[in-house]
Amino acid sequence: MIESIEFRLLSPEMIKKLAVVEITKPELYDIDGFPVEGGIMDPRLGVIDPGLRCRTCGARAGECPGHFGYIELVRPVIHVLHAKLIFNLLKTFCSSCGRYLGEDGKKKCPHCGEEQKKIKFEKPFTFREDGKNLTPVEIRERLEKIPDEDLEKIGFKGGRPEWLVLTVLPVPPVTMRPSITLESGDRSEDDLTHKLADIIKINQHLKDNIIIGAPDFIIDDLWELLQYHVATYFDNELAGVPQARHRSGRPLKTLSQRLKTKEGRFRHNLAGKRVNFSARTVISPDPFISINEVGVPVVIAKELTVPETVRKDNIEELKKLVRNADEWPGANYIIRPDGRRKRITKENAEEIAEEISEGYVVERHLLNGDVVLFNRQPSLHRMSMMAHRVRVTPWRTFTLNLCTTPPYNADFDGDEMNLHVPQSIEARTEAELLMEVQRHIRSPRFGGPIIGCKQDHISGNYLLTRKETRLTRSEAFELLCSIGVVPEIKKEKLSGKEVFSYILPEGLNIEFRAKACRGCRKCKKENCEYDCYVVIKNGKLKTGVIDAKAIGGESGRLIDSIEKNFGTEEAHRFIDRVSQLGILYLQKRGFTIGLDDFEISEDARKKISRHIESAKQEVKKLIEKYEKGEIEILPGLTEKQSLEMHILNTLKRVLDVSGEIVAADLPENEAVIMARSGARGGIVQLVQISGCVGQMTVFGERVHRGYRNRTLSHFRPGELSAEAHGFVTNSYKTGENIFEFFFDAMSGREGLMDKSLRTKHSGYMERRLMNALQDLRLEYDMTVRDNRKIIIQFLAGEDGIDPSKSDWGKLDVRMIAKNVVG
Amino acid sequence: MALNVLEHVLVPKHEILSEEEKKRLLETLNISEKQLPKILLNDPVVKALGAKEGDVIKITRKSPTAGKSFYYRLVVKS
């Protein structure tokens, strides 16, 4: 067992000791195509061709781990990745005697009195002293002089500092840089091999020049070139160094590039793992499957398998599956008790079915009701991966209930999702107990239901539970039976509320204000004239209309109450039923919107334009006041900023007032129903379509960007009016003019930019958080501890409350008391 | 110095646990001293309290959800 690992520097002696051969020749192969001895592909470095044996260890390709070689550098070079450390060492030790200069790096050596000259480090590998270049030879000499005791003083560990300047370069084995034989028979070498060849060529060249006694400048140039090649061999993305390139112009992938980044060895190959028994396709909606189900295409169900051990009680069923072979529901493999696997085919199916007995394992196809994990990236949540029940479908996409869309943040514009099949009983049980969808109805983020109804579910239930809705006995029967409730109905005519009550659990009591509540000054409660006060007594809906506040995701009070008082299973059933009830009622009634729905009366239009006019007048007055210097200055703002603030508030109010006018004027049509019930859109959208689009903002201010002192060349410089700074008088229905359109586009683009920048940021923050917190754990004694069992928190979250089991993050003591006392 | 950090509004209540209390704390949590969160001996609060190395400091913090929450830190040399 490995107990610890220490990272140290390699000494030149060690490099030579590790090596099996000195590499001196830049050639790879001779004329006959055999690797040259002493070349970079020397046969002693290991084998990569199948069939051959290693010249060093005698093992075959795949068994031989490869062996290092070495290159003796004629002149030493700086190890770029240690350049910063070398610089720090040069600064802290005396240039003459090599002793430690003391805490703050004194000017004069306290040991030999030598004056210390200022050393400058020029990235990536040049050192200067007094404007003169320090050669690696000089640097190495200085580092050699540093005594071990002084190194200990500053905590320098892992070897001698002079090893930071390379005199010998290890040559990695060929197994690390295999060459590829192309179809044409040509060999294509690895980037590292190319780089090593460059190093050897220059090294050889430098050696020759030194031997013939070439002038200094030639030797210096070659030395510099050797330094460049060795530097890019370690890292080819150094700042200020031109990248070493392949003949095609592609930058070489050298050592650092192999390890770094998401595609590097660490994050891609070591931290990233690929799994079996998983599938991925496009998702699409199916409102008629339960929220904890997932539709799985047969083609996938036939590929993914569950191993099942043959027992007395399941042998007959498994035999049936084996006989079906690749016909769903069938099986793909059997595993005999001795561990041998056998593929089941049409031909041998009968034979195998006869063969199996207790102790065999059958790898059967996915069946309806199997537990699987379903996931959508980015997995930011624990709800991003939940357990679903399989329902095999003849289609080619995964299908999921619309209500489970919010926890995954999924939509159906081409999203793909992943599915994993747990292989052991333990895994399946754990998934079932901890991860099933209904256990995640309440989000730990805010302690309310995250899974709830959306869009048509809400419109449908809103329409159904309105005061005037009446259904005949047969209509009610049809509705309820198709959602799986078989009611006992005696009356000939039923109100929508009565029908809705059939899906409420008995004993449910709750009162709350609906989303449609108009916020009257004095609430009349049960007698609300708009039917916006919901009262449910003993599972019967007495008054009030059901809308987003009752059954919507993130707000649904009804779902919340049912989950809390009747448990997750009841809440699960309820969500399935309400959502289907809403859709079916809507189908019966018909629901459509058109341009006509946004038609407002002449009277209202006039009112709005009058209002806009008065707002513009007000702005004009504000501008006049400002010019006279009489503007009311707001705390912390300049005159100009105060004016902007006043104008922005005035113009923003236009939208609110227009909203009231539009809301009062529009008849109760489908668009209004959607806005009022919270199914989709709001009053703001209605107003923007039919009344007035309103003020456009960029960075929370009116539009100021564009030309100098003005937004567009069509306005006077310095003009402060509403139109010149992005106020849109028109509605989407009347159509924006060119200026308005431009401002609208500016404001729209800001929204898009924000969104894309935010996701990038939050993704990185998530990664950092996960890496920092990954081994924190909530122990059974309610403390939070890390993997060394050191306490981080004495009581989880300071209060010991699980937010996913709380009332919007708190304990509602009053409500608990009410429930207990009754 | 004129400022007493312990009196600052943003500094929660700190107190030194007695030997007896410390023993009981470690027993109830079933941990050794080393598993406690740490605080440096040269921390301003520790200096103000005059705590020694090996003391345990009890911090009483206000919490919006729990009312009061307790935290314990062991005084250590850097």
Side-chain angles (χ1 to χ4, degrees), chain A residues 558-680:
Chain A
L558 255 185
I559 297 174
D560 171 61
S561 175
I562 291 172
E563 201 259 0
K564 208 170 295 153
N565 298 314
F566 298 88
T568 51
E569 288 308 325
E570 186 63 42
H572 166 201
R573 202 154 40 230
F574 177 72
I575 294 171
D576 278 350
R577 285 175 177 173
V578 249
S579 60
Q580 286 173 21
L581 183 67
I583 292 170
L584 290 168
Y585 181 70
L586 215 57
Q587 251 170 39
K588 217 174 175 48
R589 180 191 175 273
F591 195 80
T592 175
I593 62 164
L595 208 50
D596 290 352
D597 291 340
F598 302 95
E599 198 69 61
I600 51 170
S601 67
E602 193 56 39
D603 195 37
R605 217 194 323 270
K606 269 188 193 145
K607 258 197 216 163
I608 291 173
S609 52
R610 226 178 299 138
H611 184 71
I612 294 171
E613 222 28 70
S614 79
K616 282 184 181 169
Q617 285 304 320
E618 213 177 305
V619 170
K620 223 175 247 169
K621 263 184 224 152
L622 282 167
I623 295 169
E624 277 167 29
K625 253 191 186 170
Y626 166 72
E627 278 161 356
K628 278 188 219 152
E630 291 168 1
I631 194 92
E632 186 197 331
I633 294 175
L634 298 166
L637 298 182
T638 63
E639 280 191 10
K640 186 90 196 257
Q641 286 170 332
S642 305
L643 171 72
E644 280 297 327
M645 202 54 130
H646 286 301
I647 294 176
L648 197 63
N649 287 337
T650 315
L651 293 177
K652 272 195 167 167
R653 229 176 297 135
V654 173
L655 213 61
D656 299 337
V657 179
S658 313
E660 281 163 32
I661 298 169
V662 171
D665 187 69
L666 281 176
E668 186 156 77
N669 59 41
E670 273 81 353
V672 176
I673 286 169
M674 286 200 294
R676 212 163 269 164
S677 63
R680 200 79 229 244

Side-chain angles (χ1 to χ4, degrees), chain A residues 118-135:
Chain A
K118 187 114 178 118
I119 297 172
K120 261 167 72 185
F121 172 40
E122 277 168 25
K123 270 185 181 165
F125 44 66
T126 322
F127 296 92
R128 282 169 179 282
E129 190 181 60
D130 263 358
K132 249 184 30 230
N133 271 4
L134 279 175
T135 64

Side-chain angles (χ1 to χ4, degrees), chain A residues 47 89 101 130 227-228 233 246 260 282 337 360 395 402-403 448 471 479 508 575 612 621 634 653 750 753 764 777:
Chain A
V47 273
L89 288 170
L101 288 175
D130 263 358
Q227 171 74 70
Y228 164 80
Y233 169 68
H246 199 251
K260 266 184 194 167
V282 177
Y360 273 62
W395 324 123
L402 252 120
C403 299
L471 286 95
L479 261 183
L508 178 71
I575 294 171
I612 294 171
K621 263 184 224 152
L634 298 166
R653 229 176 297 135
E750 193 200 13
M753 256 168 42
Y764 183 43
R777 197 170 100 135

Side-chain angles (χ1 to χ4, degrees), chain A residues 747-786:
Chain A
S747 167
R749 202 184 96 97
E750 193 200 13
L752 289 180
M753 256 168 42
D754 261 22
K755 201 181 159 196
S756 66
L757 291 178
R758 226 188 10 248
T759 47
K760 204 176 93 189
H761 257 111
S762 57
Y764 183 43
M765 292 205 306
E766 177 86 6
R767 203 182 123 72
R768 273 146 61 190
L769 263 180
M770 292 206 325
N771 282 331
L773 304 180
Q774 62 182 357
D775 9 68
L776 297 197
R777 197 170 100 135
L778 175 59
E779 301 287 337
Y780 284 105
D781 66 354
M782 296 288 274
T783 58
V784 179
R785 304 189 191 201
D786 70 2

Side-chain angles (χ1 to χ4, degrees), chain A residues 781 783 785 788-795 797-801 809-811, chain B residues 29-31 34-38 61-66 68-72:
Chain A
D781 66 354
T783 58
R785 304 189 191 201
R788 291 125 75 210
K789 298 283 172 247
I790 285 177
I791 293 187
I792 307 294
Q793 271 185 337
F794 289 88
L795 186 57
E798 291 192 338
D799 51 16
I801 289 175
K810 287 188 195 104
L811 273 178
Chain B
L29 291 166
N30 193 21
I31 54 167
K34 278 182 195 153
Q35 285 167 288
L36 284 172
K38 295 167 182 59
R61 295 181 179 140
K62 268 189 201 150
S63 154
T65 49
K68 266 183 192 173
S69 82
F70 303 108
Y71 205 73
Y72 303 91

